[in-house]
Amino acid sequence: MGVSAADSLLAVMSFNAAYARVIDDDDLERWPDFFTADAQYRITHVENVRDGLAAGMVYADSRDMLIDRISALREANVYERQRYRHVIGMPSVDLLEPGVLRSHAPFLIIRIMHTGEMTVFASGAYHDEFVQDEGSDLKLRKREVVCDSTSTDTLMAIPL
Amino acid sequence: MTDTAVISFAGSVCSDESRGPYPVPPVDWPRSDYSRVPYWLYHDDRIYHAEQERIFRGPTWNYVGLEAELPQAGDYFTSFIGDTPVIVSRDPGGQLQVVVNRCAHRGAIVRREARGNAETHTCIYHRWCYGHDGRLVGLPFLRGVKGKGGGMGPDFEKAQHGLRRLQIATYAGVIFASFSETAESLADYLGPVFLGHLDRLFQRPVRVLGYQRQRIAGNWKQYLENQRDTYHGSLLHEFQSTFGISRVTQEGGVTMDAHHRHNLTWAKTATDDEGDFTELYKKDRVHDSSLRLQDPALIQFHREWDDGISLAICGIFPNLTVHQISNSLATRQIRTTGPGEFELYWTLFGYTDDTPEMTDHRLLQANMVGPAGLISMEDGEAIEIVYRAICGDRQANQVIQMGGTGPITDLRHRVTDMPVRGFWAYWAQIMGVEPEGAVR
């Protein structure tokens, strides 16, 4: 990457802050832009990962699938009005290979229902691989969202 | 204390009906064909406890897991039958075993891990140690401390204090257990249609791809209804009808067993006319979606069976749904935690001889199911909004009459919720609360 460890850390933190804001502000159409065209995005939980089981809650291997998920949420899926508040912690960042940053960042997601009910919906960690696009912005080529709990309350509509 | 209250290795615990702690309150059915069902049956505590006793711990066969989850001797996993915790295992001799996961001493949960491999099961509380078959093999201080006394006394017999061992039957690698020694055989319980369907789905050895758990704040019976109300699918789940995964215009139907307790809803993709579909769904102003997929790999159906069936939702009373939605395969086990809450335990699977491409395709299609499923995410919510609205009501009834009233029959279409009436007919029978002139 040719940048210092501190620069990498700041870049990933700034990326995660923007990512959280897009989801929490219901600006979901912009969410796929954080990924490369051939990105993998998974949501699973610790036991599936521990047992080497590939299936989770969400399994996408292209940015188009993320676009499709948002279109489906907007046009087809029916769910109670709700939003998230992401709190993404300090990532650990290292260089996986030239041009690829690997990062682990813990997260906490509060779900706020239209009724005012507020719950800890998910906690876990993002297991990420970042690359730089032409404009030298970071893009995710892989984000594996590993939830700490094996159980989901009612439904998971909005991405984590 | 009478013998019937003792949990013994020999089994046979259930007290006779007159002494049963949970009598079923009388049910005043508005109609004898179950086209009206009182809301209080969903949220009444007495009903819930009686159901545990008469249904889940009664003469039924409950799904507990797949043989593929226990490849090695000593493998075990924990599961539930209704709200009773159980351990399902392959003992060191290779035999399958299902025992109640509750220590015969003070009633603690014995095995707390989700899965593992072990020679024995030991309770943490006082270290009572059991074999896979539930036999009590040892306990500390059985004879007391030398020179100081103590111990369990001379009349304590280990053979009388095992984990409750359940009846087991498997079919095509699917494991069922029963609390009842007088339950009909599994083959009779399932009947030819459902044996045939399990053959169809489990003809090749299976491999688990992953697990999902989903908590739903509603009554477990609502989920059985949801699975048997086949016409909600194309209305609630717009994703499904838009992409032709399930539409009432397709060739399809509902098939039940002789008691109407199990149901198979099936459909064949691409057997309808796009114009007919659009006209019907537009005329009834259901939806007019402009949704298009950028990456249509998700909805492709690779034909795996000669029958051409692309959607098969199979509900086996009381706690199992097995689905084939295109090439996505999963079992869904209901675990109740009270009248107003249950968990769905999803086991996604494929076949051991799947090509890597097919495994990948099944993983992609898993996006359609489960709590984040593009198709099935709405079911949990539909159940919750019903439960929230009915949970204080002791007077009103719900309406179940799409497909007509009166006798309960199989159909060659899916504009129906008749299997929901079939479910209630069997529920009333097993609970002992059938109305006069009840349809069965």
Side-chain angles (χ1 to χ4, degrees):
Chain A
M1 291 233 127
V3 288
S4 74
D7 287 342
S8 300
L9 179 65
L10 269 179
V12 170
M13 288 177 77
S14 154
F15 180 97
N16 283 342
Y19 179 99
R21 192 163 171 194
V22 159
I23 297 176
D24 295 354
D25 289 353
D26 191 29
D27 201 1
L28 296 175
E29 281 68 16
R30 286 179 54 205
W31 171 68
D33 296 341
F34 289 90
F35 296 84
T36 62
D38 60 351
Q40 295 183 356
Y41 175 79
R42 309 274 157 84
I43 303 178
T44 185
H45 58 69
V46 285
E47 285 187 14
N48 281 336
V49 171
R50 183 198 63 200
D51 296 339
L53 299 171
M57 274 86 80
V58 174
Y59 185 98
D61 57 11
S62 72
R63 183 168 57 205
D64 281 345
M65 284 186 186
L66 304 181
I67 295 170
D68 290 340
R69 187 162 271 273
I70 300 305
S71 319
L73 285 185
R74 296 294 197 209
E75 301 222 11
N77 292 122
V78 188
Y79 55 99
E80 240 176 313
R81 206 146 49 77
Q82 56 185 269
R83 59 193 176 83
Y84 293 162
R85 177 65 61 199
H86 279 70
V87 180
I88 304 178
M90 171 89 85
S92 68
V93 181
D94 60 4
L95 198 62
L96 180 67
E97 56 192 69
V100 182
L101 288 177
R102 180 172 56 186
S103 159
H104 284 216
F107 66 79
L108 185 67
I109 296 170
I110 311 289
R111 183 174 66 181
I112 306 99
M113 304 301 293
H114 67 102
T115 55
E117 186 196 350
M118 198 163 72
T119 49
V120 175
F121 181 62
S123 72
Y126 293 123
H127 297 209
D128 298 332
E129 288 176 20
F130 290 95
V131 292
Q132 278 180 311
D133 68 6
E134 316 79 52
S136 76
D137 287 333
L138 291 183
K139 296 273 179 192
L140 284 163
R141 75 169 187 190
K142 184 176 177 185
R143 171 156 278 188
E144 189 177 32
V145 186
V146 182
C147 295
D148 292 326
S149 172
T150 56
S151 184
T152 305
D153 183 35
T154 314
L155 58 77
M156 185 184 289
I158 303 169
L160 304 184
Chain B
M1 181 176 266
T2 62
D3 285 348
T4 50
V6 174
I7 296 173
S8 71
F9 170 59
S12 185
V13 177
C14 284
S15 47
D16 64 48
E17 282 179 22
S18 61
R19 282 189 294 168
Y22 295 114
V24 187
V27 180
D28 197 7
W29 295 99
R31 295 187 182 183
S32 60
D33 65 0
Y34 307 101
S35 54
R36 300 291 180 274
V37 171
Y39 287 135
W40 68 269
L41 295 179
Y42 299 91
H43 56 74
D44 187 283
D45 272 337
R46 297 165 301 170
I47 291 283
Y48 175 79
H49 292 297
E51 286 169 342
Q52 293 298 316
E53 196 162 82
R54 290 178 181 236
I55 296 176
F56 294 104
R57 295 196 298 270
T60 57
W61 286 101
N62 289 266
Y63 168 79
V64 290
L66 301 172
E67 282 199 67
E69 297 174 275
L70 302 168
Q72 308 290 334
D75 283 351
Y76 68 86
F77 59 82
T78 48
S79 184
F80 286 87
I81 294 179
D83 59 16
T84 305
V86 296
I87 308 170
V88 184
S89 69
R90 189 179 293 282
D91 69 22
Q95 287 292 308
L96 295 176
Q97 303 284 354
V98 180
V99 293
V100 172
N101 190 8
R102 181 178 65 207
C103 187
H105 180 211
R106 294 281 170 77
I109 297 261
V110 175
R111 190 48 90 181
R112 296 177 301 157
E113 301 88 334
R115 59 194 69 248
N117 184 287
E119 292 267 308
T120 53
H121 306 303
T122 302
C123 177
I124 57 157
Y125 200 173
H126 303 87
R127 300 277 160 190
W128 284 33
C129 176
Y130 303 93
H132 281 248
D133 58 2
R135 192 167 35 91
L136 178 61
V137 293
L139 63 148
F141 316 137
L142 174 63
R143 302 288 169 231
V145 180
K146 196 175 176 185
K148 293 184 195 283
M152 296 298 280
D155 64 340
F156 181 84
E157 289 181 41
K158 282 197 289 188
Q160 295 298 315
H161 299 276
L163 301 177
R164 172 84 188 275
R165 187 185 186 192
L166 306 188
Q167 306 298 312
I168 298 184
T170 66
Y171 189 78
V174 185
I175 313 171
F176 294 87
S178 180
F179 276 78
S180 169
E181 282 162 23
T182 55
E184 60 198 305
S185 72
L186 180 65
D188 288 346
Y189 184 77
L190 293 173
V193 170
F194 295 87
L195 290 171
H197 190 66
L198 292 183
D199 277 331
R200 176 180 180 272
L201 286 182
F202 294 94
Q203 61 192 339
R204 293 151 60 197
V206 303
R207 177 162 76 91
V208 172
L209 297 178
Y211 299 96
Q212 302 180 356
R213 294 167 56 206
Q214 181 178 11
R215 281 189 312 277
I216 298 174
N219 183 262
W220 70 277
K221 297 189 290 296
Q222 294 178 272
Y223 195 72
L224 272 73
E225 292 183 309
N226 176 278
Q227 301 300 293
R228 286 159 175 78
D229 155 10
T230 84
Y231 94 104
H232 86 274
S234 69
L235 302 176
L236 176 66
H237 309 306
E238 190 168 335
F239 188 90
Q240 190 164 355
S241 41
T242 301
F243 297 112
I245 296 159
S246 177
R247 300 168 171 172
V248 297
T249 42
Q250 292 165 339
E251 189 186 332
V254 295
T255 311
M256 289 167 271
D257 67 317
H259 300 274
H260 303 131
R261 56 193 168 190
H262 316 312
N263 177 56
L264 175 64
T265 293
W266 59 276
K268 298 181 182 182
T269 193
T271 51
D272 60 342
D273 181 275
E274 198 69 26
D276 290 348
F277 160 71
T278 310
E279 191 190 338
L280 174 73
Y281 282 71
K282 265 193 181 160
K283 185 186 73 181
D284 284 353
R285 286 188 229 164
V286 176
H287 40 69
D288 178 17
S289 175
S290 55
L291 183 59
R292 295 287 175 272
L293 291 184
Q294 303 286 321
D295 192 338
L298 180 67
I299 53 167
Q300 275 158 17
F301 173 50
H302 300 299
R303 198 170 156 138
E304 296 186 81
W305 293 274
D306 291 338
D307 56 22
I309 290 175
S310 54
L311 175 108
I313 311 291
C314 173
I316 293 177
F317 186 89
N319 74 337
L320 173 64
T321 299
V322 193
H323 84 233
Q324 173 216 340
I325 297 176
S326 202
N327 302 101
S328 156
L329 304 168
T331 62
R332 313 173 186 172
Q333 182 197 33
I334 289 175
R335 300 174 169 187
T336 64
T337 45
E341 192 178 73
F342 64 95
E343 179 179 279
L344 281 181
Y345 192 89
W346 302 70
T347 304
L348 301 144
F349 65 89
Y351 301 111
T352 53
D353 61 358
D354 280 341
T355 60
E357 293 74 28
M358 184 48 114
T359 298
D360 221 47
H361 184 59
R362 292 195 207 283
L363 291 169
L364 274 187
Q365 291 207 322
N367 283 300
M368 295 193 283
V369 305
L374 292 167
I375 292 177
S376 63
M377 74 165 73
E378 286 101 356
D379 285 325
E381 175 133 345
I383 286 167
E384 291 193 359
I385 59 174
V386 172
Y387 195 80
R388 231 179 281 162
I390 65 171
C391 68
D393 193 287
R394 300 204 63 85
Q395 304 295 331
N397 306 298
Q398 70 155 323
V399 176
I400 309 171
Q401 69 175 78
M402 184 58 86
T405 56
I408 298 163
T409 56
D410 292 350
L411 296 164
R412 290 289 292 193
H413 66 78
R414 294 183 303 138
V415 196
T416 185
D417 51 19
M418 194 155 337
V420 181
R421 294 198 290 119
F423 158 73
W424 281 106
Y426 188 67
W427 182 91
Q429 220 178 311
I430 196 167
M431 294 290 282
V433 291
E434 287 184 281
E436 199 158 321
V439 300
R440 281 190 167 182

